[in-house]
Amino acid sequence: MSDLWHVLGDIDRLMEAVQREADAARDRQRPGREASGSALDGRVRVRLAADGQVAEIRLDDEVTGLRPAELAEGLTRAFNQAWRAARDHDDALLAAGAVDPAVLAEQLREVREQSMRSMRAITDSLTDAMARIERRAG
């Protein structure tokens, strides 16, 4: 039975490690910062709130003479500039972008293999315990 407790302890330590990593990832997420962008020589300006939503759009009076397609392009450029500025200053997004998928895949493979070994050990321990019980009963 001590083998079973040892295996359960291993699983508990593995789950604690996963929980610590999840907690650390959660703690790294924090609200972003306001950001702004402009286009058409400053005639179109967009400001994003800390949550990433558009907080303000300012259009100079001169934009009324623009074709709708030009105005739409200016708004798009201003928004994208503000979005890039917000992203460039968001440590959580930068950290997420720095995650190497190959390293993550390898870590997940290791966790999966360790979990399978632990489950096999639990199954073996239970099988041994059942066999001992049957021998004593027989």
Side-chain angles (χ1 to χ4, degrees), residues 1-2 8 18 20 24 30 38 46 50 56 59 68 75 80 89 92 95 98 108 121 126-127 134:
M1 197 63 152
S2 66
L8 291 174
V18 169
R20 278 192 305 273
R30 18 172 241 250
S38 65
V46 173
E56 180 180 32
L59 305 173
L75 284 166
N80 286 337
H89 294 97
L108 289 173
L126 289 173
T127 301
E134 285 178 12

Side-chain angles (χ1 to χ4, degrees), residues 7 10-15 18 107-123:
V7 170
D10 287 346
I11 290 174
D12 188 47
R13 283 187 290 281
L14 176 63
M15 296 307 293
V18 169
Q107 289 172 338
L108 289 173
R109 185 189 63 73
E110 289 173 11
V111 167
R112 190 188 91 243
E113 287 178 2
Q114 185 175 352
S115 297
M116 291 302 295
R117 284 191 299 271
S118 294
M119 290 307 294
R120 272 190 229 108
I122 288 173
T123 302

Side-chain angles (χ1 to χ4, degrees), residues 24-82:
R26 182 199 63 225
D27 293 344
R28 285 190 297 265
Q29 294 179 344
R30 18 172 241 250
R33 298 181 182 130
E34 285 192 7
S36 60
S38 65
L40 301 174
D41 299 321
R43 293 180 288 171
V44 174
R45 292 179 301 280
V46 173
R47 184 173 56 85
L48 300 180
D51 64 2
Q53 293 190 27
V54 175
E56 180 180 32
I57 297 175
R58 288 191 168 211
L59 305 173
D60 285 354
D61 290 337
E62 300 169 13
V63 300
T64 58
L66 295 175
R67 292 189 329 264
E70 289 176 303
L71 180 56
E73 183 179 330
L75 284 166
T76 301
R77 285 185 185 168
F79 174 81
N80 286 337
Q81 186 181 64

Side-chain angles (χ1 to χ4, degrees), residues 82-108:
W83 182 82
R84 279 190 303 275
R87 185 176 175 93
D88 288 345
H89 294 97
D90 188 329
D91 295 336
L93 286 174
L94 291 173
V99 172
D100 183 349
V103 171
L104 183 59
E106 178 62 22
Q107 289 172 338
L108 289 173

